[in-house]
Amino acid sequence: MSDDTAVVPQVTVRAPGKINVALYCGRPDASGYHPLATVFQAVELYEDVTASPADRMTVSVSGRGAEQVPLDQRNLAVRAASLLQEVTGTEQHAHLHVAKQVPVGGGMAGGSADAAAALLACNELWRTELERGDLIELAGQLGSDVPFALRGRTAVGSGRGHLLTSAITRERFHWVLALQEEGLSTPDVFADFDAHHEAPEVPRLPDGLLEALSGGSAEELVGFLCNDLQEAAVRLRPELGDVLAAADRGGALAAIISGSGPSVAALALDEQHAESVAHVLRGAEVASDVLVMGAPAAGARVVEAIAL
Ligand code: C5P
């Protein structure tokens, strides 16, 4: 290694995408946000954010859907780094590179994972030394799903989805993800939901769901897969009905839309079963990508740090 590379400090943080194993939605509050009762599970599809020193904030993006990601102040990684600058008062800047696996606008919180990863990466790079709890608080200001991307594994979300409590899972679950190139707008899906549902003021998870998760068997969990936003997503993108039908034909235990869609998550018994469901989904040509995935995955963590 040359002397030059040895003195370049650079931090890479990896944060996971998520699916919603269950999502119950209430009616919007005065701020327009919907109270949720949801179970998030982090999956092994990652966003890697590398932060390196720069004399102003800049961002570049590569990987799945990179051309759809804004490179200005709307970029969630930039917003996260700017918020950290603001609260710590640091005058340092960074160049952020985002390497994407999670689809853009896919209902899998890819942008939220970018924000979570950028918070952690810049906190390391700048040595601003905020504690994990402070970062989780900032994460909640950046978006409803950002705290979960920091935390990972499996968790129950309430409030806007940003208030988290642990959910125990002893085993690994096996999912097949069917991704779409074109995302869905989360506000549009919530608006369609509002137009068609008399939702409760405070949604709650059904009895037995947490026990089914901790029991660890996919067969136990399958009856609890539920997404209140699914009908709205299918109304806005009717082809998603074909994806769900293909997963069913492929023998999945069950399939649901993740979050506000359009990604579909199909639950399988084990890896071999997941591969056979994926085979049918690929043959049906209803998705831009079909991936077999273990879960739960870890939350945002430093995977590489080159220090001064
Ligand atoms: O919190 P986040 O910025 O990720 O939310 C994106 C959009 O999704 C919000 O502007 C809002 O329209 C909608 N949303 C909602 N209720 C939630 C979470 C998100 O209405 N609990």
Side-chain angles (χ1 to χ4, degrees), residues 9-198:
Q10 175 175 301
V11 180
T12 300
V13 172
R14 167 164 281 195
K18 59 81 181 166
I19 55 175
N20 299 83
V21 174
L23 191 160
Y24 291 85
C25 184
R27 79 175 80 111
D29 61 21
S31 70
Y33 273 87
H34 296 71
L36 301 179
T38 187
V39 174
F40 295 108
Q41 188 157 75
V43 293
E44 294 168 338
L45 203 57
Y46 296 107
E47 302 283 277
D48 287 340
V49 174
T50 299
S52 49
D55 47 24
R56 61 194 177 89
M57 287 302 310
T58 52
V59 65
S60 54
V61 184
S62 62
R64 181 176 279 119
E67 66 292 344
Q68 301 172 52
V69 179
L71 300 177
D72 55 21
Q73 280 300 324
R74 288 169 300 166
N75 185 289
L76 274 159
V78 172
R79 281 177 45 200
S82 304
L83 182 61
L84 188 64
Q85 282 176 321
E86 203 179 296
V87 299
T88 61
T90 179
E91 288 177 1
Q92 301 171 84
H93 298 281
H95 174 70
L96 302 172
H97 180 75
V98 182
K100 295 188 57 59
Q101 293 183 340
V102 183
V104 177
M108 294 186 63
S112 301
D114 297 349
L119 268 184
L120 202 53
C122 290
N123 192 44
E124 290 286 321
L125 181 74
W126 296 336
R127 304 204 167 129
T128 34
E129 292 180 359
L130 292 196
E131 305 278 345
R132 195 111 184 150
D134 298 328
L135 293 177
I136 287 182
E137 155 65 29
L138 292 185
Q141 296 178 35
L142 288 161
S144 311
D145 296 334
V146 183
F148 179 71
L150 274 180
R151 181 181 178 123
R153 313 302 305 176
T154 306
V156 173
S158 59
R160 290 178 278 117
H162 68 303
L163 303 174
L164 301 175
T165 54
S166 284
I168 297 159
T169 45
R170 263 183 229 109
E171 304 288 332
R172 280 177 72 68
F173 291 96
H174 300 273
W175 296 94
V176 182
L177 298 180
L179 310 184
Q180 305 294 328
E181 221 146 81
E182 199 187 333
L184 270 172
S185 148
T186 301
D188 288 359
V189 173
F190 275 111
D192 186 279
F193 172 83
D194 293 339
H196 291 88
H197 292 270
E198 272 301 322

